[in-house]
Amino acid sequence: MDYFYGPGRNHLFVPGPVNIPEQVIRAMNRNNEDYRSPAVPALTKTLLEDVKKVFKTTSGTPFMIPTTGTGAWESALTNTLSPGDRIVSFLIGQFSLLWIDQQQRLNFNVDVVESDWGQGANLDVLASKIAEDKEHTIKAICIVHNETATGVTNNLATVRKILDHYQHPALFLVDGVSSICALDFRMDEWGVDVALTGSQKALSLPTGIGIICASPKALEATKTAKSVRVFFDWNDYLKFYKMGTYWPYTPSIQLLYGLRAALELIFEEGLDNVIARHGRLAKATRLAVEAWGLKNCTQKEEWFSDTVTAVVVPPYIDSSEIVKRAWKRYNLSLGLGLNKVAGKVFRIGHLGNLNELQLLGCLAGVEMVLKDVGYPVKLGSGVAAASGYLSNATPIIPSRI
Amino acid sequence: MDYFYGPGRNHLFVPGPVNIPEQVIRAMNRNNEDYRSPAVPALTKTLLEDVKKVFKTTSGTPFMIPTTGTGAWESALTNTLSPGDRIVSFLIGQFSLLWIDQQQRLNFNVDVVESDWGQGANLDVLASKIAEDKEHTIKAICIVHNETATGVTNNLATVRKILDHYQHPALFLVDGVSSICALDFRMDEWGVDVALTGSQKALSLPTGIGIICASPKALEATKTAKSVRVFFDWNDYLKFYKMGTYWPYTPSIQLLYGLRAALELIFEEGLDNVIARHGRLAKATRLAVEAWGLKNCTQKEEWFSDTVTAVVVPPYIDSSEIVKRAWKRYNLSLGLGLNKVAGKVFRIGHLGNLNELQLLGCLAGVEMVLKDVGYPVKLGSGVAAASGYLSNATPIIPSRI
Amino acid sequence: MDYFYGPGRNHLFVPGPVNIPEQVIRAMNRNNEDYRSPAVPALTKTLLEDVKKVFKTTSGTPFMIPTTGTGAWESALTNTLSPGDRIVSFLIGQFSLLWIDQQQRLNFNVDVVESDWGQGANLDVLASKIAEDKEHTIKAICIVHNETATGVTNNLATVRKILDHYQHPALFLVDGVSSICALDFRMDEWGVDVALTGSQKALSLPTGIGIICASPKALEATKTAKSVRVFFDWNDYLKFYKMGTYWPYTPSIQLLYGLRAALELIFEEGLDNVIARHGRLAKATRLAVEAWGLKNCTQKEEWFSDTVTAVVVPPYIDSSEIVKRAWKRYNLSLGLGLNKVAGKVFRIGHLGNLNELQLLGCLAGVEMVLKDVGYPVKLGSGVAAASGYLSNATPIIPSRI
Amino acid sequence: MDYFYGPGRNHLFVPGPVNIPEQVIRAMNRNNEDYRSPAVPALTKTLLEDVKKVFKTTSGTPFMIPTTGTGAWESALTNTLSPGDRIVSFLIGQFSLLWIDQQQRLNFNVDVVESDWGQGANLDVLASKIAEDKEHTIKAICIVHNETATGVTNNLATVRKILDHYQHPALFLVDGVSSICALDFRMDEWGVDVALTGSQKALSLPTGIGIICASPKALEATKTAKSVRVFFDWNDYLKFYKMGTYWPYTPSIQLLYGLRAALELIFEEGLDNVIARHGRLAKATRLAVEAWGLKNCTQKEEWFSDTVTAVVVPPYIDSSEIVKRAWKRYNLSLGLGLNKVAGKVFRIGHLGNLNELQLLGCLAGVEMVLKDVGYPVKLGSGVAAASGYLSNATPIIPSRI
């Protein structure tokens, strides 16, 4: 029961869902269990404690909701805001666009701050808006830490600085879907009020858990937030947390054990080493892109993403052709260009449980596909640039020293 | 990484999540995949066609949402109704209660028709309400096909008859969470407008897919339904169905392959044989309960559930003690009594991929636990009653004739 | 890809291969690895240490050969003996017969001491032979600890006493295939020189490792043993043990990790508790057989096996019909009667990772099958007898106290 | 329970055990079964038919013995020959050496024809010996199709031509461990009498099945072969083949299902495409080696192996250092140089279920390691050479056209 079988492994370089480590696949290879027995709460308790570490928060309250990133977004918004609330939101690519679409459909009053796709959030505009908003009509700032469609990372520390500078009480809501557990993300230090990710991203699990952390201030906001919510209502969780049974409805037993295993691997490697590894693989990817003579969709270095690189192709090439051929000929899965950049960029996701040689295999594949579609690439050039860097930057695997 | 290890297999007899067949566990034992490649849509297409068979509908439109039954409820309501809409809903146990709670929190105007826990929905009251409602102020009837807390199955054909008799246009929304794929459920024949189930019930998968089928009339209703919805919005799915990519956000690759495998098993056995098997195991369970001298929580035979049996214990026994001891001593997972019947009943879930000897092992275990808690049971009596019936009623496994 | 699919779990009660715990299935769910990397030797080292505990030996040297029990037999014989060597061997059932057949084909001079099938080894004959053998022409005693075909356990302590009494230096070679890790087996205390088992028996793994422990005396014997051997030659292993790489040829990576997991479970439960559990399940089985009015093939209580019970059927019934129907109708796998007892007995294997309710499910199934084949069984009688005992004898699962 | 964890996948490029496809891992993810039920023989029957296709034989009789390649060797020899029999055997590397060692320990009279390591079997010597042997004292020719230690492939068609030319009746025994299912191997056409392989090689399974095919002439030879054999005796299998139960002792249920899945994949890809893929990856590897300025251990193109490439390192480098660093830093598993070429070569195994980008990832890794150990490699040069070739030679994956 496999569709379109090809020999060897699939090279999965979309920016999610990402490769699941064998250890995690193993941990999920199990029958269901009664989630009301003592075992599942005991397990859940450790997970709630440990996901906080990945968000770098001690004061946050985590929720692991059986949903996707889209559901996690909805949960972040409806638990903290009321219809009509004014929020500032940054449109910089397809995923921020979709989140804004959701915000509007949930009847918030959204100040959309748009940038060119390939640029980061325009924080100057934010500063002006905040400066002007003496009445505190702005209830929340919504921002993606990393825009998966363009490979742009926003500077969250600056957002916090702006809010602090003007002592503005707006909630600070962050989509960390393609950042948390891969990029340097500091919920407490940056005063993020709600941060969220999905299990199929840097945590390297199957899709199915939207993980959200809420600051004390965010929890306080739930008391007055009038948005209608039931499935996504944090209060139902909080009620069950108090009872020690944790689950208002049935969780996926398999994903809980999978998350346990995923966290073990992250802690064994060390979260900072995980982040450093993402930095290393990303830099190698960018060097390859440069060596191919292609441009990064991201317009400035300060926005370079360490989890996904969107590569701009020359106008005479259709980037979706690259994605199609990569899959058809080399069993290589690359990310399509979406919406405004459809046909113009292809994306290399380099997040999750991944290592140097996997990436170099991907880059070698991209080179061959570039040649296939008529781009005058020098085969080996990207790999050489990437491995030149990696050969200096890659540490010995700690457990093997 | 197992909590509370005990030798041998866990005997899982809660009414969900239920046992996953080894074939399905195997099918899910896989890495992630790019859900935008041609493989996942090709797979999805077959699933959408085939889940309709399980609902016995040809005209319905299926949605497989990454959520639980609670989310599926919300999806059924918000896609078809507007805040303030009057609906009739039947409170007959904990799960209908929770659905009603959701309906109220979603701001519908709910006529709650309550019955004693252990009785079915009072359809006489429904008939009067419908008869009286010349103005068609009632927009929907919400009913659980099977109340999992008490083991009560409602007569859906009668609901349809009442609506038809009065030519009442109310939508007919059915929670089939503990019925579909186990009980005789006929979406088209009964004119059900929205039916739903969860993957972890009779389909015998992990938690994670809420499966919903909407009739053409229900789809029509989405056009005027003003309830706020984004994550659960069917229109987002319909848009992607048209494009042939099927997914507005990332599905669980593993669950899709698991569902494929689960459906194969159901079709190999034959859906009618699956339903007959559930009838057989349920009858055997009831005979055992009778032999033990205990009462079924369900007050009349017409309501007997073929997926779960709630057993009433004598007043001097705390049923939660039974559940606790079963797990501690015999690795047997039984269902607790919930809410009004907490401490008064324990539940034997006999749904999903299960066979005769698994059930008899469970019944033998229940007997021993009953003895442990001081109930004067004759050991072997329930098993004898059950196996007396099963030994006549069980057919040869078709593939082995 | 399943042949003869039936719903629910297969009830596996043949005396091997036995049920594999989910934890072990999980541990084996992995890709291959380079067995020459540091990881595999590190793992192997722990296994070699830990299998000794299961044999209750500190002085023995273990070998984990990629083979079956038959290969382990061959390894035991050819490493310690020379063609023409006189050995005493006990024929008490099909497996001892097969071992004797092997001994003869390997050109040993075998004194076959035959008993009725259903009796244990005739140790009086052994005593006379040993007493008479002043010249020490007898080089080895070969005996099965447990004859899997008849459910007979031999008294190994008595064998040792006889040898010691006459100060006879014969090697003491024991087939522990259906005993080790289930019955009380004491390699060092009983002065066993070679003991062996197979991974698919009480260790609850797939087939594929023949595990052998050799006493210092057995190792000494290899120096003069002239039997031709290459694949089974212990010296090749010893050479690699010294080098710290452990493997003269490629082991199964999966089975090594599986064995690691299996041993963890055994140590978590406690080997003595494992053995007690086998005693408990066996006693329950025998009580059921008695309640059915049937006879145990084993003629005296002293020989009763705690891992397998061979049940004698009345002459008018063909026991192979029982086995066939159990599988066809109830997905229950029982053991056939073999050779001399073909058609006359069926066997219930109750070894490995198994618990009370699994056994009671099996017994309930046997009852129904007995009825099917025309035996006047009272349904429930065997289960009642077994559960009467188990309900008193079964301790709380330690991790759940 | 993972030793020496490193993030991302292990890059397994030892020439066995090789990567197992996910489909096969899945197929093996299962509990044990009664091997005497109808299911296992039904499965076995299909396997025996289908493995013959992989050997390209219609007249051969296959045996799937629970053992390794070393055991398969022993089985080939002892079933067809008698102690003292004269055989001609070619020593061209570590594995032919080990087989010769086995032949000698099994008391055959071995004419060892030695070549330099890196050369193929000296078939001129064979021709002379055969020409001289008018008396037909030579009973068998033993030859490895592919010497895994040096990456040398022998010309089996020539061996057959020599034997035919002189109408010499010697048996033609072939070790196809690192060839069958990867190289072009034609049992019937080349008149091979016994051919054998191991499951962990090109079939891409775990270790545990030695697969042997015997020609009618080889089967005839068993009747007079006096070598002592029990576990490896083909006659025990033939007896069970006749009965239709197939197994003289317990097989690994998991490996049987795994083999079924492996064969499905091979047939889906097409055996000839599998072989072509091996040719393609091997050529790419050799081009990389050349680009690095290193030499292939194999001295002439006619002997180049399409399953493993042994790369000679300059005298000032210790090749074992390369293997060690590859594993420690890049999670890349390469093959060590063995025995005579220890320290002088490292090996890249490119057999089994593998594709182009996996190989390029490996080659990129080798380059970085070469740099690490002080070899003046131009990073990217090998990858460029390999991908230059692959980008022309790689077909679209047939299922994705």
Coordinates of all heavy atoms in Angstrom, one line a residue, chain A residues 329-378:
Chain A
R329 N 12.2 12.1 -10.2 CA 13.4 11.5 -10.6 C 14.3 11.1 -9.5 O 15.0 10.1 -9.6 CB 14.1 12.5 -11.6 CG 15.1 11.8 -12.4 CD 15.6 12.6 -13.5 NE 16.6 11.9 -14.4 CZ 17.5 12.5 -15.1 NH1 17.6 13.8 -15.0 NH2 18.4 11.8 -15.8
Y330 N 14.3 11.9 -8.4 CA 15.3 11.7 -7.4 C 14.6 11.4 -6.0 O 15.3 11.4 -5.0 CB 16.2 12.9 -7.3 CG 17.0 13.1 -8.5 CD1 16.8 14.1 -9.4 CD2 18.0 12.1 -8.9 CE1 17.5 14.3 -10.6 CE2 18.7 12.2 -10.1 CZ 18.4 13.3 -10.9 OH 19.2 13.5 -12.1
N331 N 13.3 11.2 -6.0 CA 12.6 11.0 -4.7 C 13.0 12.0 -3.7 O 13.1 11.8 -2.5 CB 13.0 9.6 -4.2 CG 11.8 8.9 -3.4 OD1 10.9 9.6 -3.1 ND2 12.0 7.7 -3.1
L332 N 13.1 13.2 -4.2 CA 13.4 14.4 -3.3 C 12.2 15.3 -3.2 O 11.6 15.7 -4.2 CB 14.6 15.2 -4.0 CG 14.9 16.5 -3.4 CD1 15.4 16.4 -1.9 CD2 16.0 17.2 -4.3
S333 N 11.8 15.5 -2.0 CA 10.6 16.3 -1.8 C 11.0 17.8 -1.4 O 11.5 18.0 -0.3 CB 9.7 15.7 -0.7 OG 9.2 14.5 -1.1
L334 N 10.8 18.7 -2.3 CA 11.1 20.1 -2.0 C 9.8 20.9 -1.8 O 8.7 20.4 -2.2 CB 11.8 20.7 -3.1 CG 13.2 20.1 -3.4 CD1 13.8 20.6 -4.8 CD2 14.2 20.4 -2.3
G335 N 9.8 22.1 -1.2 CA 8.6 22.9 -1.0 C 8.3 23.7 -2.2 O 9.2 24.3 -2.8
L336 N 7.1 23.8 -2.6 CA 6.6 24.6 -3.7 C 6.7 26.1 -3.3 O 6.7 26.4 -2.1 CB 5.2 24.3 -4.0 CG 4.9 23.0 -4.7 CD1 3.4 22.6 -4.6 CD2 5.3 23.2 -6.2
G337 N 6.7 27.0 -4.2 CA 6.4 28.4 -4.0 C 4.9 28.5 -3.8 O 4.2 27.9 -4.6
L338 N 4.5 29.4 -2.9 CA 3.1 29.5 -2.6 C 2.6 30.9 -3.0 O 3.3 31.9 -2.7 CB 2.8 29.2 -1.1 CG 3.2 27.8 -0.7 CD1 3.1 27.7 0.9 CD2 2.4 26.7 -1.3
N339 N 1.4 30.9 -3.5 CA 0.7 32.2 -3.8 C 1.5 33.2 -4.6 O 1.9 32.8 -5.7 CB 0.3 32.7 -2.4 CG -0.8 33.8 -2.5 OD1 -0.9 34.5 -3.5 ND2 -1.6 33.9 -1.5
K340 N 1.9 34.3 -4.0 CA 2.6 35.3 -4.8 C 3.9 34.9 -5.3 O 4.4 35.4 -6.3 CB 2.9 36.5 -3.8 CG 1.9 37.6 -3.7 CD 2.5 38.8 -3.2 CE 1.5 39.9 -2.9 NZ 2.1 41.1 -2.3
V341 N 4.5 33.9 -4.7 CA 5.8 33.4 -5.2 C 5.7 32.1 -5.8 O 6.8 31.4 -6.1 CB 6.9 33.4 -4.0 CG1 7.2 34.9 -3.6 CG2 6.4 32.6 -2.8
A342 N 4.5 31.7 -6.1 CA 4.3 30.4 -6.8 C 5.0 30.5 -8.2 O 5.0 31.5 -8.9 CB 2.8 30.1 -7.1
G343 N 5.7 29.4 -8.5 CA 6.5 29.4 -9.8 C 7.8 30.2 -9.7 O 8.7 30.0 -10.5
K344 N 7.9 31.0 -8.7 CA 9.1 31.8 -8.6 C 10.2 31.3 -7.6 O 11.4 31.6 -7.8 CB 8.7 33.3 -8.2 CG 7.8 33.9 -9.2 CD 7.4 35.3 -8.8 CE 6.4 36.0 -9.7 NZ 5.8 37.1 -9.2
V345 N 9.7 30.7 -6.6 CA 10.7 30.1 -5.7 C 10.4 28.6 -5.4 O 9.3 28.2 -5.6 CB 10.7 30.8 -4.3 CG1 10.8 32.3 -4.4 CG2 9.5 30.4 -3.4
F346 N 11.4 27.9 -5.1 CA 11.2 26.6 -4.5 C 11.9 26.6 -3.1 O 12.7 27.5 -2.8 CB 11.8 25.4 -5.3 CG 13.3 25.4 -5.4 CD1 14.0 24.7 -4.5 CD2 13.9 26.2 -6.4 CE1 15.4 24.7 -4.6 CE2 15.3 26.1 -6.5 CZ 16.1 25.4 -5.6
R347 N 11.4 25.8 -2.2 CA 11.9 25.9 -0.8 C 12.6 24.6 -0.4 O 12.2 23.5 -0.7 CB 10.7 26.2 0.1 CG 10.2 27.6 -0.1 CD 8.9 27.8 0.7 NE 7.9 26.9 0.4 CZ 7.0 26.4 1.2 NH1 7.0 26.8 2.5 NH2 6.0 25.6 0.8
I348 N 13.7 24.8 0.3 CA 14.4 23.7 1.0 C 14.1 23.8 2.5 O 14.5 24.8 3.1 CB 15.9 23.8 0.7 CG1 16.2 23.7 -0.8 CG2 16.6 22.7 1.4 CD1 17.6 24.0 -1.2
G349 N 13.4 22.9 3.0 CA 13.2 22.9 4.5 C 14.3 22.1 5.1 O 14.7 21.0 4.7
H350 N 15.0 22.8 6.1 CA 16.1 22.1 6.7 C 15.9 22.2 8.2 O 16.7 22.7 9.0 CB 17.5 22.7 6.3 CG 17.4 24.2 6.0 ND1 17.3 25.2 6.9 CD2 17.5 24.8 4.8 CE1 17.3 26.4 6.3 NE2 17.4 26.2 5.0
L351 N 14.7 21.7 8.6 CA 14.4 21.7 10.1 C 14.1 20.3 10.5 O 13.8 19.4 9.7 CB 13.3 22.7 10.3 CG 11.8 22.3 10.0 CD1 10.9 23.2 10.7 CD2 11.6 22.4 8.5
G352 N 14.2 20.2 11.8 CA 13.8 18.9 12.4 C 15.1 18.0 12.6 O 16.2 18.5 12.5
N353 N 14.8 16.7 12.8 CA 15.9 15.8 13.1 C 16.6 15.4 11.8 O 16.2 14.5 11.1 CB 15.2 14.6 13.7 CG 16.2 13.7 14.4 OD1 16.8 12.8 13.7 ND2 16.5 13.9 15.6
L354 N 17.7 16.1 11.5 CA 18.3 16.1 10.2 C 19.8 16.2 10.4 O 20.2 16.9 11.4 CB 17.8 17.3 9.4 CG 17.8 17.3 7.9 CD1 16.9 16.3 7.4 CD2 17.4 18.7 7.4
N355 N 20.6 15.7 9.5 CA 22.1 16.0 9.7 C 22.7 16.4 8.4 O 22.1 16.5 7.4 CB 22.8 14.7 10.4 CG 22.6 13.5 9.5 OD1 22.5 13.5 8.3 ND2 22.6 12.4 10.2
E356 N 24.0 16.6 8.5 CA 24.8 17.2 7.4 C 24.7 16.4 6.1 O 24.4 17.0 5.0 CB 26.3 17.4 7.8 CG 26.5 18.4 8.9 CD 26.0 18.0 10.3 OE1 25.8 16.8 10.6 OE2 25.9 18.9 11.2
L357 N 24.9 15.1 6.2 CA 24.9 14.4 4.9 C 23.6 14.2 4.3 O 23.4 14.1 3.1 CB 25.5 13.0 5.2 CG 27.0 13.0 5.7 CD1 27.6 11.6 5.5 CD2 27.8 14.1 5.2
Q358 N 22.5 14.3 5.1 CA 21.2 14.3 4.5 C 21.0 15.6 3.7 O 20.6 15.5 2.6 CB 20.1 14.2 5.6 CG 19.9 12.9 6.3 CD 18.9 12.9 7.4 OE1 19.3 13.3 8.5 NE2 17.7 12.4 7.2
L359 N 21.5 16.7 4.3 CA 21.4 17.9 3.6 C 22.2 17.9 2.3 O 21.7 18.4 1.2 CB 21.8 19.1 4.5 CG 21.7 20.5 3.8 CD1 20.3 20.9 3.6 CD2 22.5 21.5 4.6
L360 N 23.4 17.4 2.4 CA 24.3 17.4 1.2 C 23.7 16.6 0.1 O 23.8 16.9 -1.1 CB 25.7 17.0 1.6 CG 26.4 18.0 2.5 CD1 27.8 17.4 2.9 CD2 26.7 19.3 1.8
G361 N 23.0 15.5 0.5 CA 22.4 14.7 -0.5 C 21.3 15.5 -1.2 O 21.1 15.4 -2.4
C362 N 20.5 16.2 -0.4 CA 19.5 17.1 -1.0 C 20.1 18.1 -1.9 O 19.6 18.3 -3.0 CB 18.8 17.8 0.2 SG 17.8 19.2 -0.3
L363 N 21.1 18.8 -1.5 CA 21.7 19.8 -2.3 C 22.3 19.2 -3.6 O 22.1 19.8 -4.7 CB 22.9 20.5 -1.5 CG 22.4 21.3 -0.3 CD1 23.6 21.9 0.5 CD2 21.4 22.4 -0.6
A364 N 22.8 18.1 -3.5 CA 23.3 17.4 -4.8 C 22.1 17.1 -5.7 O 22.2 17.3 -6.9 CB 24.0 16.1 -4.4
G365 N 21.0 16.8 -5.1 CA 19.8 16.5 -5.9 C 19.3 17.8 -6.5 O 18.9 17.8 -7.7
V366 N 19.3 18.9 -5.8 CA 18.8 20.1 -6.3 C 19.7 20.6 -7.5 O 19.2 21.0 -8.5 CB 18.8 21.2 -5.2 CG1 18.5 22.6 -5.8 CG2 17.8 20.9 -4.1
E367 N 20.9 20.4 -7.4 CA 21.8 20.7 -8.5 C 21.4 20.0 -9.8 O 21.4 20.6 -10.9 CB 23.3 20.4 -8.1 CG 23.8 21.2 -7.0 CD 25.3 20.9 -6.7 OE1 25.8 19.9 -7.3 OE2 25.9 21.6 -5.9
M368 N 21.2 18.7 -9.6 CA 20.9 17.9 -10.8 C 19.5 18.3 -11.4 O 19.4 18.4 -12.6 CB 20.9 16.4 -10.5 CG 22.3 15.9 -10.1 SD 22.4 14.1 -10.1 CE 21.4 13.7 -8.7
V369 N 18.6 18.7 -10.5 CA 17.3 19.1 -11.0 C 17.4 20.5 -11.7 O 16.8 20.7 -12.7 CB 16.3 19.2 -9.9 CG1 15.0 19.7 -10.4 CG2 16.1 17.8 -9.2
L370 N 18.2 21.3 -11.1 CA 18.5 22.6 -11.8 C 19.0 22.4 -13.2 O 18.5 23.1 -14.1 CB 19.4 23.5 -10.9 CG 18.9 24.1 -9.6 CD1 20.0 24.7 -8.8 CD2 17.8 25.1 -9.9
K371 N 19.9 21.5 -13.3 CA 20.4 21.2 -14.6 C 19.3 20.7 -15.5 O 19.2 21.1 -16.7 CB 21.5 20.2 -14.5 CG 22.3 20.0 -15.8 CD 23.3 18.8 -15.7 CE 23.5 18.2 -17.1 NZ 23.7 16.7 -17.0
D372 N 18.5 19.8 -15.0 CA 17.4 19.3 -15.7 C 16.4 20.3 -16.3 O 15.9 20.1 -17.4 CB 16.5 18.3 -14.8 CG 17.1 17.0 -14.7 OD1 18.2 16.7 -15.2 OD2 16.4 16.1 -14.1
V373 N 16.2 21.4 -15.5 CA 15.2 22.4 -16.0 C 15.9 23.5 -16.8 O 15.3 24.5 -17.1 CB 14.4 23.0 -14.8 CG1 13.6 21.9 -14.2 CG2 15.3 23.7 -13.8
G374 N 17.2 23.3 -17.1 CA 17.9 24.2 -18.0 C 18.6 25.3 -17.4 O 19.0 26.3 -18.0
Y375 N 18.8 25.3 -16.1 CA 19.6 26.3 -15.4 C 21.0 25.9 -15.5 O 21.4 24.8 -15.2 CB 19.1 26.5 -14.0 CG 20.0 27.5 -13.2 CD1 19.7 28.9 -13.5 CD2 21.0 27.1 -12.3 CE1 20.5 29.8 -12.8 CE2 21.7 28.1 -11.7 CZ 21.5 29.4 -12.0 OH 22.3 30.4 -11.3
P376 N 21.9 26.8 -15.9 CA 23.3 26.5 -16.1 C 24.1 26.3 -14.8 O 24.9 27.2 -14.5 CB 23.8 27.6 -17.0 CG 23.0 28.8 -16.6 CD 21.7 28.3 -16.2
V377 N 23.8 25.3 -14.1 CA 24.5 25.1 -12.8 C 25.7 24.3 -13.0 O 25.8 23.5 -13.9 CB 23.5 24.4 -11.8 CG1 23.4 22.9 -12.2 CG2 24.0 24.5 -10.4
K378 N 26.7 24.6 -12.2 CA 27.9 23.8 -12.2 C 27.7 22.7 -11.2 O 27.6 22.9 -10.0 CB 29.2 24.6 -11.8 CG 30.4 23.8 -12.1 CD 31.7 24.7 -11.9 CE 32.9 23.7 -11.6 NZ 33.5 24.0 -10.3

